[in-house]
Amino acid sequence: MTKHKEVKIENHRVRVGQKRSEMTRTRLLQGALPVFASHGVDASVINLIIKNAGVSRGTFYNYFRTNEELFFAVAEKVSSELIHIVEPVVRLQSDPAARIACGVKLVVKLAKSYPLFAQFIVRG
């Protein structure tokens, strides 16, 4: 096998491994959201999370050291998505008070439309 083919195979393996790792992390985050929304961060919920995510306990610990570390990763993901949704609309407002009112209104609408999001925010 030529060196060029070896590099392509290695790059492919790296990409596949990275994609698999990202997918597993996403499954953990998605599996954790409803658990944290129901039980909060202070509850011992790792068993529920790994069951929801369909991963082993060892896999959980490959990605997160603690329940709290996973909670903060979920909170970061939720807040990033919230900003992604709200910020473009809020930026259309020139008045600072209107921006705040618009942002609050949008967050309340999202909470009404997505009860799991609202429950997570309340429990967090």
Side-chain angles (χ1 to χ4, degrees):
M1 191 177 308
T2 68
K3 186 167 181 101
H4 181 68
K5 286 183 182 180
E6 288 176 19
V7 170
K8 278 189 174 186
I9 290 171
E10 184 176 313
N11 288 341
H12 174 71
R13 287 182 184 156
V14 169
R15 283 193 308 273
V16 168
Q18 287 171 340
K19 185 167 178 77
R20 186 177 296 135
S21 180
E22 288 171 18
M23 289 172 50
T24 301
R25 187 174 194 283
T26 298
R27 283 177 38 207
L28 281 163
L29 294 174
Q30 290 173 341
L33 180 63
V35 174
F36 286 134
S38 297
H39 300 281
V41 68
D42 294 328
S44 180
V45 293
I46 292 174
N47 287 336
L48 295 171
I49 292 167
I50 61 177
K51 183 179 178 186
N52 268 6
V55 300
S56 70
R57 181 174 291 278
T59 298
F60 173 89
Y61 287 110
N62 282 335
Y63 290 85
F64 303 99
R65 292 184 308 238
T66 64
N67 186 47
E68 291 80 14
E69 190 176 301
L70 175 58
F71 175 80
F72 287 120
V74 172
E76 182 180 338
K77 181 72 173 164
V78 167
S79 65
S80 293
E81 289 183 21
L82 182 62
I83 289 168
H84 180 75
I85 293 167
V86 172
E87 186 178 32
V89 179
V90 169
R91 284 187 176 267
L92 296 174
Q93 306 297 320
S94 58
D95 179 53
R99 281 184 175 195
I100 292 170
C102 180
V104 169
K105 185 177 178 180
L106 284 172
V107 170
V108 170
K109 278 186 174 184
L110 284 170
K112 281 182 160 181
S113 299
Y114 300 98
L116 186 62
F117 162 73
Q119 196 175 1
F120 177 79
I121 297 299
V122 170
R123 289 270 186 182

